[in-house]
Amino acid sequence: MGDRRAPDAKENGPHLAPNPADQAERGSSSIPNGDGGSALTTRLYKRRWAVVFLFSAYSLSNAYQWIQYGIISNIIVKFYSVDAFAVDWLSMVYMLTYIPFIFPVTWLLDKKGLRVTALLANALNCAGTWIKVASAKPELFWVTMVGQLMSSLAQVFILGMPARLASVWFGADEVSTACSIGVFGNQMGIAIGFLVPPILVPNVDDMAELAYHIRIMFYISAGVATFIFVLVIIVFQERPELPPTQAQAQSRSIQPDEYSYMASILRLLRNKPFMLLVVSYGLNVGCFYAISTLLNRMIIEHYPGEEVNAGRIGLTIVIAGMAGSLICGIWLDKTKTYKQTTLVVYILSLVGMLIYAFTLNLGHLWVVFVTAGALGFFMTGYLPLGFEFAVELTYPESEGTSSGLLNCSAQIFGIIFTISQGKIIDKWGTLAGNIFLCFFLLIGTVMTGLIKSDLRRQKANLQTEVQTVSVSTSQIRGGIFTSPWRGSVLNPFQTCAPLC
């Protein structure tokens, strides 16, 4: 989206003691630091766009691998001579590994920062792709599982980063859009994962020919992952020299010995609105994981031989979701209506799921494309809403920690829903399986409605802006400044009081 601040020359310079009349347009601020000395300054760097798009690229590479087996599950079953449940685990391993590893990874993100996390993510992702290149033989299913396990470990370092990266690099009026761009890469990877494997790996009976096509698919993903890894080493930077917002400046003022990761976790677990969001987010995204993993089975049951169209339907779901994510991110930046937007999108996800469930078996593929697209627009568009709402409810806790708990909930429900829906489909058909998911989306909708909206980050930024304008006005009017906040320091671990 366009930058609402000053032109590039102004954007790239530090902002000191702004004129109140210029404050809104330039998007900069400075406030007394509590000692009556130098001011806290903010600055936006052009490099922020390179960082967020590079993150999106390696998130894309990893997300592609999550679904590359599931969308051609019938072909993988035939090639490796395993059952469908074993192939489902090639997707579910992404969910399983996340649960035990998310806490050490979020601790590492807090202690070592964005760059170390990005390097580890890409090293694991790259290793996983090359292991899978060696697994393109019918007797080497265990090798492809090892490669997928490596890629799934990389995902743990990726999923919780969008909100953290947006807060560290972007201005207050850009964070939701930046978070959406970060999620956008993951969604684009899933979209490519739906589209490309059915094209690269045709359903042929000759095992030698099939092995050739599978190997080509693996080589392409390995080449892309390696190229992105090299770019991350060269380009990816930890954080800007100066913070982009006053909220981020306050977070930087926390001394390392003042921060306890376990204490942060305990504070989040006692935050009732956030815990409601954790469960409701897990229900929604867990449903999306189950639908994505089992999509090939659902489509083939009603439309035999339509493997390529199953991939295209998955692509439709994710492309529509990417549009939904971007629109929701821009909407949040404009309106700051976090709870209202999250609730409306959740309700529409439930409605979309109901329509999809009752139209899947009508015998018209074009209907499935339309209903799946509507479902994807709202269900996938919900992802950045959950991240940003969580940051607002939990500020000044680490964005990586709050996002990690959201994703942990999603993985747990994803495993439960994928296994349960798969069994229900096998016994009672796709309609029963999809109604099963609708029931839990209804529960999630009710829980979202019960969340008490407490926009802590917005309050912190607003309170700082009020102080800044008061400081500047006093200086202009009298030349001598006496601040009502002089000698006080904002405590970032204390919820800001309402300003009205």
Side-chain angles (χ1 to χ4, degrees):
M1 82 185 263
D3 200 332
R4 295 172 59 190
R5 290 158 173 79
D8 292 342
K10 294 181 180 179
E11 179 183 84
N12 290 323
H15 304 309
L16 298 168
N19 187 319
D22 298 335
Q23 184 81 20
E25 180 179 351
R26 293 177 62 183
S28 62
S29 62
S30 60
I31 63 172
N33 65 4
D35 299 323
S38 60
L40 298 175
T41 60
T42 62
R43 172 180 173 180
L44 287 177
Y45 295 80
K46 291 180 180 179
R47 191 186 187 96
R48 70 192 188 279
W49 297 109
V51 170
V52 74
F53 281 113
L54 186 55
F55 168 79
S56 292
Y58 73 76
S59 179
L60 178 155
S61 172
N62 183 259
Y64 162 81
Q65 295 174 71
W66 167 57
I67 205 63
Q68 72 178 150
Y69 295 99
I71 198 59
I72 52 172
S73 59
N74 57 321
I75 299 174
I76 299 298
V77 165
K78 178 173 65 176
F79 180 73
Y80 286 112
S81 299
V82 294
D83 59 28
F85 189 62
V87 176
D88 288 344
W89 270 109
L90 288 168
S91 294
M92 287 192 292
V93 70
Y94 262 62
M95 308 172 204
L96 183 64
T97 55
Y98 194 91
I99 298 167
F101 287 103
I102 181 54
F103 295 105
V105 168
T106 52
W107 175 86
L108 186 68
L109 177 61
D110 287 339
K111 292 296 183 181
K112 300 298 182 180
L114 291 171
R115 179 170 169 81
V116 170
T117 305
L119 290 173
L120 288 172
N122 280 273
L124 289 166
N125 189 55
C126 194
T129 60
W130 285 107
I131 290 172
K132 282 186 274 190
V133 168
S135 72
K137 295 181 180 179
E139 68 275 13
L140 295 181
F141 180 76
W142 69 272
V143 177
T144 212
M145 179 61 82
V146 171
Q148 191 73 341
L149 177 63
M150 295 291 287
S151 298
S152 71
L153 287 172
Q155 178 212 217
V156 187
F157 291 86
I158 293 172
L159 286 188
M161 281 185 65
R164 173 67 173 269
L165 188 147
S167 293
V168 168
W169 279 93
F170 286 82
D173 292 334
E174 301 173 330
V175 286
S176 296
T177 302
C179 184
S180 297
I181 294 172
V183 175
F184 186 91
N186 188 272
Q187 295 169 350
M188 178 64 80
I190 297 172
I192 295 173
F194 277 126
L195 178 65
V196 172
I199 296 173
L200 293 179
V201 185
N203 191 1
V204 296
D205 295 326
D206 186 332
M207 288 296 106
E209 182 182 354
L210 191 55
Y212 168 79
H213 291 299
I214 290 175
R215 189 175 295 110
I216 291 297
M217 178 178 71
F218 289 155
Y219 268 121
I220 292 173
S221 59
V224 171
T226 303
F227 175 71
I228 293 172
F229 189 16
V230 173
L231 285 181
V232 168
I233 293 172
I234 297 171
V235 175
F236 202 92
Q237 188 175 319
E238 170 62 30
R239 68 180 188 180
E241 182 180 353
L242 295 174
T245 63
Q246 290 300 328
Q248 190 61 213
Q250 291 177 38
S251 295
R252 287 194 186 187
S253 69
I254 302 170
Q255 298 300 317
D257 56 355
E258 295 177 8
Y259 176 78
S260 168
Y261 178 72
M262 288 307 301
S264 177
I265 291 288
L266 292 175
R267 283 193 296 270
L268 290 175
L269 293 178
R270 291 194 296 264
N271 186 328
K272 292 181 180 179
F274 174 66
M275 292 311 298
L276 282 172
L277 179 63
V278 166
V279 178
S280 62
Y281 181 92
L283 292 171
N284 189 303
V285 181
C287 288
F288 172 72
Y289 288 163
I291 292 169
S292 300
T293 302
L294 301 172
L295 183 63
N296 177 269
R297 289 171 61 183
M298 288 191 283
I299 299 300
I300 295 299
E301 178 175 325
H302 296 290
Y303 307 93
E306 295 287 356
E307 292 90 357
V308 174
N309 272 322
R312 290 170 180 165
I313 290 169
L315 175 69
T316 302
I317 290 174
V318 181
I319 292 295
M322 288 174 358
S325 293
L326 198 56
I327 291 171
C328 288
I330 294 172
W331 174 259
L332 284 186
D333 279 333
K334 296 290 186 183
T335 67
K336 310 300 182 185
T337 53
Y338 290 87
K339 177 180 176 178
Q340 299 92 322
T341 304
T342 302
L343 181 59
V344 168
V345 170
Y346 214 121
I347 292 171
L348 293 173
S349 296
L350 171 59
V351 172
M353 187 68 209
L354 284 168
I355 296 173
Y356 171 79
F358 285 101
T359 57
L360 181 61
N361 61 353
L362 294 182
H364 302 292
L365 265 175
W366 69 268
V367 174
V368 181
F369 273 96
V370 173
T371 56
L375 174 63
F377 182 88
F378 296 110
M379 184 171 282
T380 313
Y382 172 81
L383 298 177
L385 294 179
F387 282 150
E388 284 298 295
F389 196 14
V391 173
E392 292 293 336
L393 293 174
T394 61
Y395 177 83
E397 307 295 348
S398 167
E399 298 87 351
T401 306
S402 61
S403 298
L405 289 174
L406 290 182
N407 284 318
C408 186
S409 174
Q411 313 307 317
I412 293 171
F413 284 113
I415 292 173
I416 295 170
F417 290 163
T418 301
I419 294 174
S420 301
Q421 189 186 23
K423 299 296 184 183
I424 292 171
I425 289 174
D426 290 340
K427 190 169 184 178
W428 292 294
T430 57
L431 179 60
N434 288 324
I435 292 299
F436 166 79
L437 297 184
C438 290
F439 174 74
F440 287 98
L441 284 175
L442 177 61
I443 294 175
T445 302
V446 173
M447 295 183 72
T448 301
L450 296 175
I451 296 174
K452 181 181 178 181
S453 184
D454 183 12
L455 307 184
R456 300 181 179 189
R457 182 175 60 179
Q458 295 302 317
K459 291 176 182 177
N461 282 324
L462 183 58
Q463 182 169 344
T464 302
E465 290 173 6
V466 170
Q467 293 179 13
T468 304
V469 172
S470 298
V471 169
S472 301
T473 303
S474 299
Q475 291 170 328
I476 291 171
R477 287 177 178 173
I480 301 175
F481 164 59
T482 302
S483 170
W485 295 279
R486 184 174 179 135
S488 65
V489 178
L490 289 175
N491 180 359
F493 284 112
Q494 179 178 350
T495 303
C496 298
L499 299 179
C500 56

